[in-house]
mmCIF file of all heavy atoms in Angstrom:
data_model
loop_
_atom_site.group_PDB
_atom_site.id
_atom_site.type_symbol
_atom_site.label_atom_id
_atom_site.label_comp_id
_atom_site.label_asym_id
_atom_site.label_seq_id
_atom_site.Cartn_x
_atom_site.Cartn_y
_atom_site.Cartn_z
ATOM 1 N N THR K 22 72.323 107.140 97.770
ATOM 2 C CA THR K 22 71.794 108.362 97.141
ATOM 3 C C THR K 22 72.244 109.596 97.923
ATOM 4 O O THR K 22 72.612 110.617 97.325
ATOM 5 C CB THR K 22 70.263 108.310 97.076
ATOM 6 O OG1 THR K 22 69.739 108.024 98.384
ATOM 7 C CG2 THR K 22 69.804 107.245 96.101
ATOM 8 N N ASP K 23 72.210 109.530 99.252
ATOM 9 C CA ASP K 23 72.686 110.655 100.057
ATOM 10 C C ASP K 23 74.185 110.866 99.863
ATOM 11 O O ASP K 23 74.669 112.007 99.852
ATOM 12 C CB ASP K 23 72.383 110.418 101.535
ATOM 13 C CG ASP K 23 70.908 110.583 101.854
ATOM 14 O OD1 ASP K 23 70.209 111.235 101.056
ATOM 15 O OD2 ASP K 23 70.451 110.047 102.874
ATOM 16 N N PHE K 24 74.920 109.765 99.715
ATOM 17 C CA PHE K 24 76.356 109.887 99.468
ATOM 18 C C PHE K 24 76.604 110.595 98.140
ATOM 19 O O PHE K 24 77.558 111.385 98.021
ATOM 20 C CB PHE K 24 77.013 108.509 99.449
ATOM 21 C CG PHE K 24 78.481 108.551 99.109
ATOM 22 C CD1 PHE K 24 79.420 108.838 100.078
ATOM 23 C CD2 PHE K 24 78.921 108.327 97.807
ATOM 24 C CE1 PHE K 24 80.776 108.898 99.771
ATOM 25 C CE2 PHE K 24 80.261 108.387 97.484
ATOM 26 C CZ PHE K 24 81.199 108.669 98.473
ATOM 27 N N THR K 25 75.764 110.327 97.144
ATOM 28 C CA THR K 25 75.912 111.004 95.856
ATOM 29 C C THR K 25 75.784 112.513 96.026
ATOM 30 O O THR K 25 76.580 113.285 95.475
ATOM 31 C CB THR K 25 74.840 110.498 94.866
ATOM 32 O OG1 THR K 25 74.992 109.087 94.692
ATOM 33 C CG2 THR K 25 74.983 111.190 93.519
ATOM 34 N N ALA K 26 74.779 112.942 96.783
ATOM 35 C CA ALA K 26 74.602 114.376 97.023
ATOM 36 C C ALA K 26 75.781 114.964 97.789
ATOM 37 O O ALA K 26 76.277 116.054 97.470
ATOM 38 C CB ALA K 26 73.300 114.616 97.786
ATOM 39 N N LEU K 27 76.245 114.237 98.810
ATOM 40 C CA LEU K 27 77.388 114.705 99.605
ATOM 41 C C LEU K 27 78.635 114.836 98.737
ATOM 42 O O LEU K 27 79.321 115.872 98.752
ATOM 43 C CB LEU K 27 77.617 113.734 100.764
ATOM 44 C CG LEU K 27 78.677 114.095 101.810
ATOM 45 C CD1 LEU K 27 78.355 113.414 103.140
ATOM 46 C CD2 LEU K 27 80.081 113.687 101.389
ATOM 47 N N ALA K 28 78.952 113.775 97.986
ATOM 48 C CA ALA K 28 80.182 113.762 97.184
ATOM 49 C C ALA K 28 80.133 114.804 96.081
ATOM 50 O O ALA K 28 81.131 115.487 95.817
ATOM 51 C CB ALA K 28 80.405 112.370 96.593
ATOM 52 N N LEU K 29 78.973 114.941 95.435
ATOM 53 C CA LEU K 29 78.867 115.918 94.356
ATOM 54 C C LEU K 29 79.025 117.335 94.892
ATOM 55 O O LEU K 29 79.713 118.172 94.286
ATOM 56 C CB LEU K 29 77.515 115.765 93.651
ATOM 57 C CG LEU K 29 77.323 116.643 92.411
ATOM 58 C CD1 LEU K 29 78.282 116.213 91.309
ATOM 59 C CD2 LEU K 29 75.884 116.571 91.915
ATOM 60 N N THR K 30 78.386 117.615 96.025
ATOM 61 C CA THR K 30 78.535 118.938 96.638
ATOM 62 C C THR K 30 79.992 119.199 97.000
ATOM 63 O O THR K 30 80.522 120.293 96.761
ATOM 64 C CB THR K 30 77.659 119.040 97.895
ATOM 65 O OG1 THR K 30 76.305 118.746 97.560
ATOM 66 C CG2 THR K 30 77.736 120.441 98.491
ATOM 67 N N PHE K 31 80.648 118.205 97.576
ATOM 68 C CA PHE K 31 82.042 118.337 97.990
ATOM 69 C C PHE K 31 82.942 118.619 96.789
ATOM 70 O O PHE K 31 83.739 119.579 96.797
ATOM 71 C CB PHE K 31 82.476 117.044 98.691
ATOM 72 C CG PHE K 31 83.901 117.029 99.150
ATOM 73 C CD1 PHE K 31 84.265 117.635 100.337
ATOM 74 C CD2 PHE K 31 84.883 116.404 98.391
ATOM 75 C CE1 PHE K 31 85.587 117.620 100.767
ATOM 76 C CE2 PHE K 31 86.205 116.376 98.818
ATOM 77 C CZ PHE K 31 86.552 116.997 100.009
ATOM 78 N N VAL K 32 82.805 117.827 95.734
ATOM 79 C CA VAL K 32 83.681 117.968 94.568
ATOM 80 C C VAL K 32 83.426 119.276 93.841
ATOM 81 O O VAL K 32 84.376 120.003 93.478
ATOM 82 C CB VAL K 32 83.485 116.766 93.612
ATOM 83 C CG1 VAL K 32 84.225 117.001 92.299
ATOM 84 C CG2 VAL K 32 83.977 115.484 94.269
ATOM 85 N N LEU K 33 82.174 119.621 93.621
ATOM 86 C CA LEU K 33 81.867 120.844 92.874
ATOM 87 C C LEU K 33 82.235 122.093 93.657
ATOM 88 O O LEU K 33 82.647 123.104 93.074
ATOM 89 C CB LEU K 33 80.386 120.879 92.500
ATOM 90 C CG LEU K 33 79.959 119.888 91.412
ATOM 91 C CD1 LEU K 33 78.482 120.040 91.090
ATOM 92 C CD2 LEU K 33 80.785 120.088 90.147
ATOM 93 N N THR K 34 82.089 122.049 94.977
ATOM 94 C CA THR K 34 82.502 123.203 95.782
ATOM 95 C C THR K 34 84.001 123.442 95.650
ATOM 96 O O THR K 34 84.455 124.582 95.526
ATOM 97 C CB THR K 34 82.121 122.990 97.257
ATOM 98 O OG1 THR K 34 80.703 122.843 97.366
ATOM 99 C CG2 THR K 34 82.566 124.176 98.107
ATOM 100 N N LEU K 35 84.774 122.367 95.661
ATOM 101 C CA LEU K 35 86.217 122.498 95.503
ATOM 102 C C LEU K 35 86.615 122.891 94.088
ATOM 103 O O LEU K 35 87.496 123.734 93.882
ATOM 104 C CB LEU K 35 86.911 121.181 95.872
ATOM 105 C CG LEU K 35 86.938 120.778 97.342
ATOM 106 C CD1 LEU K 35 87.579 119.411 97.496
ATOM 107 C CD2 LEU K 35 87.690 121.813 98.182
ATOM 108 N N ALA K 36 85.963 122.274 93.100
ATOM 109 C CA ALA K 36 86.417 122.417 91.711
ATOM 110 C C ALA K 36 85.798 123.583 90.976
ATOM 111 O O ALA K 36 86.431 124.165 90.091
ATOM 112 C CB ALA K 36 86.127 121.122 90.939
ATOM 113 N N VAL K 37 84.566 123.944 91.323
ATOM 114 C CA VAL K 37 83.855 124.987 90.567
ATOM 115 C C VAL K 37 83.663 126.251 91.388
ATOM 116 O O VAL K 37 83.849 127.354 90.881
ATOM 117 C CB VAL K 37 82.495 124.458 90.064
ATOM 118 C CG1 VAL K 37 81.776 125.536 89.245
ATOM 119 C CG2 VAL K 37 82.687 123.195 89.236
ATOM 120 N N GLY K 38 83.284 126.102 92.645
ATOM 121 C CA GLY K 38 83.088 127.279 93.476
ATOM 122 C C GLY K 38 82.039 127.047 94.547
ATOM 123 O O GLY K 38 81.295 126.065 94.529
ATOM 124 N N ILE K 39 81.988 127.999 95.481
ATOM 125 C CA ILE K 39 81.111 127.898 96.640
ATOM 126 C C ILE K 39 79.641 127.821 96.220
ATOM 127 O O ILE K 39 78.910 126.889 96.580
ATOM 128 C CB ILE K 39 81.323 129.105 97.569
ATOM 129 C CG1 ILE K 39 82.749 129.107 98.141
ATOM 130 C CG2 ILE K 39 80.291 129.110 98.682
ATOM 131 C CD1 ILE K 39 82.998 128.077 99.185
ATOM 132 N N GLU K 40 79.184 128.805 95.457
ATOM 133 C CA GLU K 40 77.775 128.876 95.096
ATOM 134 C C GLU K 40 77.378 127.699 94.216
ATOM 135 O O GLU K 40 76.326 127.083 94.420
ATOM 136 C CB GLU K 40 77.472 130.196 94.390
ATOM 137 C CG GLU K 40 77.552 131.413 95.288
ATOM 138 C CD GLU K 40 77.142 132.678 94.554
ATOM 139 O OE1 GLU K 40 76.522 132.571 93.480
ATOM 140 O OE2 GLU K 40 77.436 133.777 95.049
ATOM 141 N N ALA K 41 78.198 127.379 93.225
ATOM 142 C CA ALA K 41 77.869 126.288 92.303
ATOM 143 C C ALA K 41 77.764 124.966 93.042
ATOM 144 O O ALA K 41 76.845 124.167 92.796
ATOM 145 C CB ALA K 41 78.928 126.198 91.209
ATOM 146 N N GLY K 42 78.691 124.701 93.957
ATOM 147 C CA GLY K 42 78.661 123.452 94.703
ATOM 148 C C GLY K 42 77.421 123.323 95.564
ATOM 149 O O GLY K 42 76.772 122.274 95.588
ATOM 150 N N LEU K 43 77.061 124.408 96.260
ATOM 151 C CA LEU K 43 75.899 124.359 97.137
ATOM 152 C C LEU K 43 74.606 124.218 96.343
ATOM 153 O O LEU K 43 73.734 123.403 96.668
ATOM 154 C CB LEU K 43 75.856 125.612 98.006
ATOM 155 C CG LEU K 43 74.784 125.649 99.086
ATOM 156 C CD1 LEU K 43 74.910 124.448 100.014
ATOM 157 C CD2 LEU K 43 74.871 126.940 99.879
ATOM 158 N N MET K 44 74.466 124.998 95.273
ATOM 159 C CA MET K 44 73.247 124.932 94.468
ATOM 160 C C MET K 44 73.112 123.572 93.778
ATOM 161 O O MET K 44 72.015 123.013 93.686
ATOM 162 C CB MET K 44 73.237 126.067 93.444
ATOM 163 C CG MET K 44 73.112 127.450 94.075
ATOM 164 S SD MET K 44 73.165 128.782 92.862
ATOM 165 C CE MET K 44 71.617 128.504 92.001
ATOM 166 N N ALA K 45 74.232 123.033 93.298
ATOM 167 C CA ALA K 45 74.186 121.710 92.671
ATOM 168 C C ALA K 45 73.792 120.651 93.689
ATOM 169 O O ALA K 45 73.009 119.733 93.386
ATOM 170 C CB ALA K 45 75.540 121.373 92.059
ATOM 171 N N GLY K 46 74.303 120.763 94.909
ATOM 172 C CA GLY K 46 73.953 119.808 95.948
ATOM 173 C C GLY K 46 72.470 119.831 96.275
ATOM 174 O O GLY K 46 71.833 118.782 96.419
ATOM 175 N N VAL K 47 71.916 121.042 96.387
ATOM 176 C CA VAL K 47 70.480 121.165 96.653
ATOM 177 C C VAL K 47 69.677 120.578 95.497
ATOM 178 O O VAL K 47 68.718 119.821 95.699
ATOM 179 C CB VAL K 47 70.100 122.644 96.879
ATOM 180 C CG1 VAL K 47 68.583 122.799 96.970
ATOM 181 C CG2 VAL K 47 70.760 123.180 98.137
ATOM 182 N N GLY K 48 70.071 120.917 94.261
ATOM 183 C CA GLY K 48 69.357 120.403 93.093
ATOM 184 C C GLY K 48 69.406 118.891 93.001
ATOM 185 O O GLY K 48 68.382 118.237 92.754
ATOM 186 N N VAL K 49 70.581 118.323 93.227
ATOM 187 C CA VAL K 49 70.722 116.865 93.154
ATOM 188 C C VAL K 49 69.930 116.186 94.269
ATOM 189 O O VAL K 49 69.313 115.132 94.061
ATOM 190 C CB VAL K 49 72.210 116.470 93.222
ATOM 191 C CG1 VAL K 49 72.357 114.977 93.452
ATOM 192 C CG2 VAL K 49 72.909 116.865 91.939
ATOM 193 N N SER K 50 69.918 116.778 95.460
ATOM 194 C CA SER K 50 69.142 116.203 96.557
ATOM 195 C C SER K 50 67.664 116.132 96.201
ATOM 196 O O SER K 50 66.992 115.120 96.464
ATOM 197 C CB SER K 50 69.325 117.040 97.832
ATOM 198 O OG SER K 50 70.635 116.916 98.325
ATOM 199 N N LEU K 51 67.142 117.207 95.615
ATOM 200 C CA LEU K 51 65.729 117.213 95.230
ATOM 201 C C LEU K 51 65.463 116.197 94.127
ATOM 202 O O LEU K 51 64.450 115.477 94.157
ATOM 203 C CB LEU K 51 65.321 118.620 94.778
ATOM 204 C CG LEU K 51 65.354 119.703 95.868
ATOM 205 C CD1 LEU K 51 65.013 121.065 95.270
ATOM 206 C CD2 LEU K 51 64.377 119.362 96.988
ATOM 207 N N LEU K 52 66.361 116.125 93.148
ATOM 208 C CA LEU K 52 66.175 115.150 92.065
ATOM 209 C C LEU K 52 66.244 113.721 92.584
ATOM 210 O O LEU K 52 65.454 112.850 92.175
ATOM 211 C CB LEU K 52 67.230 115.371 90.985
ATOM 212 C CG LEU K 52 67.081 116.650 90.142
ATOM 213 C CD1 LEU K 52 68.264 116.799 89.190
ATOM 214 C CD2 LEU K 52 65.771 116.621 89.347
ATOM 215 N N LEU K 53 67.192 113.460 93.491
ATOM 216 C CA LEU K 53 67.300 112.118 94.056
ATOM 217 C C LEU K 53 66.079 111.769 94.898
ATOM 218 O O LEU K 53 65.635 110.618 94.921
ATOM 219 C CB LEU K 53 68.567 112.007 94.906
ATOM 220 C CG LEU K 53 69.883 111.983 94.124
ATOM 221 C CD1 LEU K 53 71.062 112.031 95.081
ATOM 222 C CD2 LEU K 53 69.967 110.745 93.244
ATOM 223 N N HIS K 54 65.525 112.773 95.582
ATOM 224 C CA HIS K 54 64.299 112.532 96.345
ATOM 225 C C HIS K 54 63.156 112.166 95.402
ATOM 226 O O HIS K 54 62.394 111.213 95.674
ATOM 227 C CB HIS K 54 63.932 113.771 97.156
ATOM 228 C CG HIS K 54 62.598 113.668 97.833
ATOM 229 N ND1 HIS K 54 62.378 112.872 98.934
ATOM 230 C CD2 HIS K 54 61.395 114.242 97.541
ATOM 231 C CE1 HIS K 54 61.115 112.961 99.299
ATOM 232 N NE2 HIS K 54 60.494 113.777 98.473
ATOM 233 N N LEU K 55 63.033 112.904 94.308
ATOM 234 C CA LEU K 55 61.991 112.584 93.333
ATOM 235 C C LEU K 55 62.205 111.189 92.755
ATOM 236 O O LEU K 55 61.247 110.419 92.600
ATOM 237 C CB LEU K 55 61.979 113.626 92.214
ATOM 238 C CG LEU K 55 61.462 115.025 92.587
ATOM 239 C CD1 LEU K 55 61.643 115.975 91.425
ATOM 240 C CD2 LEU K 55 60.001 114.962 93.003
ATOM 241 N N TRP K 56 63.446 110.864 92.432
ATOM 242 C CA TRP K 56 63.747 109.552 91.862
ATOM 243 C C TRP K 56 63.419 108.434 92.862
ATOM 244 O O TRP K 56 62.825 107.424 92.506
ATOM 245 C CB TRP K 56 65.211 109.483 91.456
ATOM 246 C CG TRP K 56 65.620 108.153 90.902
ATOM 247 C CD1 TRP K 56 65.397 107.660 89.648
ATOM 248 C CD2 TRP K 56 66.315 107.113 91.611
ATOM 249 N NE1 TRP K 56 65.915 106.393 89.520
ATOM 250 C CE2 TRP K 56 66.480 106.025 90.704
ATOM 251 C CE3 TRP K 56 66.810 106.995 92.906
ATOM 252 C CZ2 TRP K 56 67.131 104.858 91.067
ATOM 253 C CZ3 TRP K 56 67.458 105.818 93.269
ATOM 254 C CH2 TRP K 56 67.610 104.770 92.353
ATOM 255 N N ARG K 57 63.801 108.648 94.124
ATOM 256 C CA ARG K 57 63.592 107.624 95.136
ATOM 257 C C ARG K 57 62.099 107.427 95.414
ATOM 258 O O ARG K 57 61.621 106.290 95.507
ATOM 259 C CB ARG K 57 64.326 108.023 96.422
ATOM 260 C CG ARG K 57 64.286 106.988 97.523
ATOM 261 C CD ARG K 57 65.285 107.328 98.615
ATOM 262 N NE ARG K 57 65.112 108.682 99.104
ATOM 263 C CZ ARG K 57 66.062 109.601 99.089
ATOM 264 N NH1 ARG K 57 67.249 109.331 98.593
ATOM 265 N NH2 ARG K 57 65.822 110.816 99.554
ATOM 266 N N THR K 58 61.372 108.524 95.547
ATOM 267 C CA THR K 58 59.948 108.410 95.847
ATOM 268 C C THR K 58 59.125 108.032 94.623
ATOM 269 O O THR K 58 57.960 107.638 94.768
ATOM 270 C CB THR K 58 59.412 109.718 96.431
ATOM 271 O OG1 THR K 58 59.684 110.803 95.510
ATOM 272 C CG2 THR K 58 60.070 110.023 97.766
ATOM 273 N N SER K 59 59.705 108.156 93.432
ATOM 274 C CA SER K 59 58.980 107.751 92.224
ATOM 275 C C SER K 59 59.018 106.236 92.037
ATOM 276 O O SER K 59 58.348 105.710 91.147
ATOM 277 C CB SER K 59 59.572 108.439 90.981
ATOM 278 O OG SER K 59 60.863 107.932 90.691
ATOM 279 N N ARG K 60 59.804 105.562 92.842
ATOM 280 C CA ARG K 60 59.894 104.099 92.791
ATOM 281 C C ARG K 60 59.514 103.556 94.170
ATOM 282 O O ARG K 60 60.358 103.069 94.913
ATOM 283 C CB ARG K 60 61.301 103.672 92.392
ATOM 284 C CG ARG K 60 61.731 104.267 91.067
ATOM 285 C CD ARG K 60 63.231 104.187 90.806
ATOM 286 N NE ARG K 60 63.668 102.821 90.601
ATOM 287 C CZ ARG K 60 64.500 102.169 91.397
ATOM 288 N NH1 ARG K 60 64.984 102.767 92.474
ATOM 289 N NH2 ARG K 60 64.864 100.929 91.127
ATOM 290 N N PRO K 61 58.251 103.698 94.557
ATOM 291 C CA PRO K 61 57.853 103.357 95.932
ATOM 292 C C PRO K 61 57.977 101.864 96.212
ATOM 293 O O PRO K 61 57.821 101.031 95.312
ATOM 294 C CB PRO K 61 56.383 103.796 95.987
ATOM 295 C CG PRO K 61 55.908 103.697 94.575
ATOM 296 C CD PRO K 61 57.092 104.093 93.729
ATOM 297 N N HIS K 62 58.266 101.583 97.454
ATOM 298 C CA HIS K 62 58.303 100.183 97.885
ATOM 299 C C HIS K 62 56.868 99.711 98.078
ATOM 300 O O HIS K 62 56.105 100.270 98.874
ATOM 301 C CB HIS K 62 59.085 100.053 99.188
ATOM 302 C CG HIS K 62 59.132 98.652 99.720
ATOM 303 N ND1 HIS K 62 58.386 98.236 100.792
ATOM 304 C CD2 HIS K 62 59.831 97.568 99.305
ATOM 305 C CE1 HIS K 62 58.613 96.966 101.038
ATOM 306 N NE2 HIS K 62 59.495 96.529 100.148
ATOM 307 N N ILE K 63 56.482 98.701 97.324
ATOM 308 C CA ILE K 63 55.135 98.141 97.403
ATOM 309 C C ILE K 63 55.261 96.690 97.851
ATOM 310 O O ILE K 63 55.875 95.870 97.160
ATOM 311 C CB ILE K 63 54.409 98.222 96.047
ATOM 312 C CG1 ILE K 63 54.368 99.681 95.550
ATOM 313 C CG2 ILE K 63 52.999 97.668 96.162
ATOM 314 C CD1 ILE K 63 53.795 99.831 94.158
ATOM 315 N N ALA K 64 54.701 96.384 99.004
ATOM 316 C CA ALA K 64 54.843 95.049 99.585
ATOM 317 C C ALA K 64 53.511 94.309 99.541
ATOM 318 O O ALA K 64 52.462 94.885 99.849
ATOM 319 C CB ALA K 64 55.339 95.148 101.017
ATOM 320 N N THR K 65 53.561 93.042 99.151
ATOM 321 C CA THR K 65 52.415 92.162 99.326
ATOM 322 C C THR K 65 52.436 91.668 100.766
ATOM 323 O O THR K 65 53.468 91.168 101.241
ATOM 324 C CB THR K 65 52.491 90.960 98.359
ATOM 325 O OG1 THR K 65 52.489 91.444 97.015
ATOM 326 C CG2 THR K 65 51.308 90.030 98.569
ATOM 327 N N VAL K 66 51.330 91.844 101.496
ATOM 328 C CA VAL K 66 51.327 91.566 102.929
ATOM 329 C C VAL K 66 50.398 90.402 103.253
ATOM 330 O O VAL K 66 49.411 90.140 102.551
ATOM 331 C CB VAL K 66 50.905 92.811 103.741
ATOM 332 C CG1 VAL K 66 51.911 93.928 103.568
ATOM 333 C CG2 VAL K 66 49.511 93.287 103.358
ATOM 334 N N GLY K 67 50.751 89.712 104.313
ATOM 335 C CA GLY K 67 49.941 88.624 104.844
ATOM 336 C C GLY K 67 49.923 88.682 106.345
ATOM 337 O O GLY K 67 50.713 89.407 106.968
ATOM 338 N N ARG K 68 49.037 87.898 106.965
ATOM 339 C CA ARG K 68 48.868 87.965 108.416
ATOM 340 C C ARG K 68 49.893 87.094 109.132
ATOM 341 O O ARG K 68 50.111 85.936 108.774
ATOM 342 C CB ARG K 68 47.457 87.494 108.790
ATOM 343 C CG ARG K 68 47.118 87.665 110.278
ATOM 344 C CD ARG K 68 45.651 87.351 110.533
ATOM 345 N NE ARG K 68 45.409 85.921 110.449
ATOM 346 C CZ ARG K 68 45.437 85.081 111.492
ATOM 347 N NH1 ARG K 68 45.724 85.550 112.712
ATOM 348 N NH2 ARG K 68 45.185 83.801 111.327
#
């Protein structure tokens, strides 16, 4: 997921522009964080 944010920021900065790449990277990072935390790891535990 972090690689997705890195690669998207890298590609969009080169292909679209400085501001677009940075803003897209921030937006994708927040969305990926929401996606990751929306699927919490729930473990059944024993002693």
Side-chain angles (χ1 to χ4, degrees):
T22 52
D23 287 340
F24 176 82
T25 301
L27 186 155
L29 186 66
T30 304
F31 179 81
V32 171
L33 288 182
T34 299
L35 289 176
V37 182
I39 296 287
E40 291 184 16
L43 186 57
M44 293 178 68
V47 172
V49 168
S50 291
L51 294 176
L52 290 175
L53 288 174
H54 173 73
L55 289 174
W56 178 79
R57 185 167 53 238
T58 56
S59 69
R60 303 164 68 244
H62 178 255
I63 304 174
T65 299
V66 296
R68 186 173 73 93

